Amino acid sequence: MPGKKVCIVGSGNWGSAIAKIIGHNVKASNRFDPMVNMWVFEEMINGKKLTEIINTEHENVKYLPGHKLPRNVVAVPEIAEAVKGAKVLVFVIPHQFIAKLCDQMKPHITEGTIGISLIKGIDEGPEGLKLISDIIREKLEIEVSVLMGANIANEVADEKFCETTIGSKNEANGLIFKELLQTPNFRITVVQESDTVELCGALKNIVAVGAGFCDGLGFGDNTKAASCGVADLITTCYGGRNRRVAEAFVKTAKSIAELEAEMLNGQKLQGPQTSAEVYKILLKRDMVNQFPLFTAVYQICFEGKEVKEFITCLQSHPEHM
């Protein structure tokens, strides 16, 4: 039996860190094809195409500098070519791009293909909240698992120890993805509660923005801890980019978009965007008052509400703290 061809859809900071793991793991297993395609949104870096730099220097110099990618990971700028013949799709792009990309992929997807989403976000559907994995399922008509955890991309790339969770309604597929992604320092637990895993991964980024506001305003760790709970949440509230940019938002008075350009090389933050999707759903359901943290983060990021009022917004609803 020839091994299954793997395609990584996305190549940012997290996508490149995952490509390091996948490139290494496929060579050690006869379950997978040893060559991996990675779809890269083409950009020019100092007059050279990013895909060419990755394919010659084996480094994503823009999004994961200082880390060599395995030589069997090949950067491909056209999505149709990248997914050709792939049986295993790993989605790791900002959630706002997923629908359009799936539409471009659909004609090239063959029966029996499976996917896993590493995308922390949600969308607003006509009925309310829509999971990113559901968008992929509906558009591509494939079975989709999710991977979510306390995983800062650079720490994973540095092979520092961390844990993560795969949510897979199909147990056999969950184990395929575990074989593809687990390493001695990237430990995976597979559970069947896929939707819960995905939801926690998305919502915690809004909390991280709130934590960054606390840091920017000079509040202590106790204030921050009052809005935190579990591992992924704690990690993102200390080390993650959502927190870091939110702190700068307070200290510099620049917009989120400006800070994304300056601090993240133009990569998109998931926290503010997720807060916008959640806010629309809360409005529809008349539940805005029940989620003061999510609402306050949205209003500060998008409606010009004073960030000084962040803690006041939370204190006005003690029953929900």
Side-chain angles (χ1 to χ4, degrees), residues 204-214 237 242-243 246-247 256 269-272 297 301 310:
K204 60 98 200 183
N205 278 332
I206 311 178
V207 184
V209 174
F213 291 159
C214 288
C237 287
N242 287 278
R243 187 214 60 77
E247 181 180 1
I256 293 285
L269 276 190
Q270 298 300 287
V297 167
C301 287
F310 179 57

Side-chain angles (χ1 to χ4, degrees), residues 228-243:
C228 297
V230 289
D232 189 10
L233 199 50
I234 292 163
T235 301
T236 199
C237 287
Y238 283 88
R241 63 175 79 160
N242 287 278
R243 187 214 60 77

Side-chain angles (χ1 to χ4, degrees), residues 72-306:
N72 57 323
V73 174
V74 180
V76 182
E78 289 85 22
I79 188 67
E81 190 191 329
V83 301
K84 208 174 183 175
K87 286 293 183 193
V88 177
L89 302 172
V90 180
F91 293 90
V92 54
I93 53 170
H95 76 265
Q96 46 271 49
F97 305 130
I98 192 69
K100 186 174 159 223
L101 210 55
C102 281
D103 289 339
Q104 293 172 310
M105 292 165 69
K106 180 65 172 104
H108 311 283
I109 302 298
T110 53
E111 203 180 330
T113 300
I114 59 173
I116 188 164
S117 171
L118 280 62
I119 301 169
K120 290 177 175 173
I122 50 166
D123 204 29
E124 183 209 4
E127 302 301 309
L129 186 141
K130 197 171 182 73
L131 297 171
I132 301 304
S133 65
D134 282 337
I135 297 174
I136 301 169
R137 279 184 198 101
E138 286 166 22
K139 287 192 171 286
L140 299 185
E141 298 174 52
I142 61 173
E143 214 278 324
V144 183
S145 305
V146 299
L147 179 144
M148 303 281 152
N151 311 135
I152 306 274
N154 288 53
E155 293 188 9
V156 173
D158 286 333
E159 295 177 22
K160 291 182 177 167
F161 182 84
C162 57
E163 294 182 300
T164 200
T165 303
I166 286 178
S168 186
K169 291 168 187 169
N170 178 311
E171 204 177 348
N173 291 352
L175 294 174
I176 290 173
F177 287 120
K178 183 171 182 171
E179 187 178 327
L180 180 66
L181 294 160
Q182 180 159 274
T183 75
N185 286 319
F186 189 62
R187 305 305 295 170
I188 294 172
T189 307
V190 181
V191 300
Q192 289 194 297
E193 271 299 319
S194 179
D195 295 353
T196 313
V197 169
E198 186 170 3
L199 204 50
C200 290
L203 296 177
K204 60 98 200 183
N205 278 332
I206 311 178
V207 184
V209 174
F213 291 159
C214 288
D215 291 342
L217 292 161
F219 293 123
D221 286 342
N222 285 344
T223 311
K224 184 156 68 169
S227 61
C228 297
V230 289
D232 189 10
L233 199 50
I234 292 163
T235 301
T236 199
C237 287
Y238 283 88
R241 63 175 79 160
N242 287 278
R243 187 214 60 77
R244 208 169 70 242
V245 174
E247 181 180 1
F249 177 87
V250 179
K251 291 182 169 173
T252 64
K254 291 178 180 172
S255 72
I256 293 285
E258 283 174 289
L259 292 167
E260 283 174 335
E262 272 177 39
M263 297 174 68
L264 301 177
N265 237 334
Q267 292 190 89
K268 295 285 171 244
L269 276 190
Q270 298 300 287
Q273 184 68 32
T274 304
S275 77
E277 309 291 0
V278 168
Y279 185 73
K280 287 184 214 157
I281 292 161
L282 295 177
L283 269 182
K284 259 189 197 158
R285 296 285 169 96
D286 201 17
M287 290 168 75
V288 167
N289 289 339
Q290 291 175 44
F291 291 88
L293 173 72
F294 293 169
T295 301
V297 167
Y298 164 75
Q299 290 173 334
I300 290 165
C301 287
F302 295 103
E303 294 194 341
K305 193 182 191 76
E306 283 285 332

